[in-house]
Amino acid sequence: MSNQATADCDGNRLPMFFVDANGCWIWTRSVNFNGYGQWSKRGPDQNRMAHTVIWETFNGPLPDGLEMDHLCRVRPCVNPAHLEAVTRTLNNRRSTTPTALNFLKTSCIHGHVFDRENTIIKRRGRDCRACKYKEQNERRRRITAEKREQAGEK
């Protein structure tokens, strides 16, 4: 295969992507603010993600409830061999965002294991129950000591 693919655009042959040293097919046309290639065409599917369009060209329609995951972690890559149709949950867990990286942690910064008994689930994450108890006890001791100190000064 050539190291680039072209498409006819208003009578001109323009490159759609080039192949880099890692085998990624790097999209050379429009990219969105997140760095993913955009496929723009007149019609009902005006703006779509380029990697999805290319994947569907080789594999057929993307199944309902699934989205594309870049196995190579290169956002403008449209190589169907570097893409996998997965659930949003799995895609998020595989990502390198702080949320995904925190999900992979099995213990808190003090070494307490995140398990059913020791984990407090919150809307925006989780806390270590052992650390929370320790923090609350230290706060109570500090407040009690401050009250005693104030009472002794009067």
Side-chain angles (χ1 to χ4, degrees), residues 74-92:
V74 178
R75 290 182 176 185
C77 178
V78 295
N79 184 343
H82 293 190
L83 301 169
E84 183 179 6
V86 298
T87 63
R88 175 158 294 179
T89 301
L90 180 56
N91 197 9
N92 287 337

Side-chain angles (χ1 to χ4, degrees), residues 36-49:
Y36 292 102
Q38 292 185 141
W39 181 279
S40 298
K41 189 177 179 183
R42 292 189 182 125
D45 295 327
Q46 270 188 328
N47 294 311
R48 297 185 63 207
M49 301 296 258

Side-chain angles (χ1 to χ4, degrees), residues 8-145:
D8 195 17
C9 181
D10 298 328
N12 299 315
R13 299 292 287 176
L14 299 174
M16 293 172 58
F17 63 83
F18 67 90
V19 181
D20 74 4
N22 297 317
C24 289
W25 298 1
I26 305 299
W27 188 251
T28 58
R29 302 232 179 133
S30 174
V31 294
N32 67 15
F33 64 95
N34 285 324
Y36 292 102
Q38 292 185 141
W39 181 279
S40 298
K41 189 177 179 183
R42 292 189 182 125
D45 295 327
Q46 270 188 328
N47 294 311
R48 297 185 63 207
M49 301 296 258
H51 58 277
T52 303
V53 173
I54 300 294
W55 188 88
E56 288 179 339
T57 299
F58 285 86
N59 299 291
L62 184 64
D64 287 341
L66 299 183
E67 59 185 40
M68 292 285 85
D69 182 16
H70 283 84
L71 301 175
C72 60
R73 297 285 164 246
V74 178
R75 290 182 176 185
C77 178
V78 295
N79 184 343
H82 293 190
L83 301 169
E84 183 179 6
V86 298
T87 63
R88 175 158 294 179
T89 301
L90 180 56
N91 197 9
N92 287 337
R93 286 182 181 168
R94 287 178 173 176
S95 77
T96 56
T97 63
T99 301
L101 296 176
N102 281 329
F103 176 82
L104 296 174
K105 293 178 182 174
T106 57
S107 61
C108 75
I109 60 172
H110 299 289
H112 303 121
V113 177
F114 282 129
D115 59 14
R116 276 185 189 258
E117 294 79 31
N118 189 48
T119 305
I120 301 168
I121 304 295
K122 304 182 325 182
R123 282 185 79 200
R124 293 193 166 260
R126 60 188 171 180
D127 278 335
C128 170
R129 193 176 305 275
C131 289
K132 276 289 183 195
Y133 284 156
K134 183 178 179 185
E135 182 182 300
Q136 288 171 349
N137 287 336
E138 288 172 357
R139 184 171 177 268
R140 283 189 197 110
R141 277 194 284 270
R142 190 178 65 249
I143 290 171
T144 302

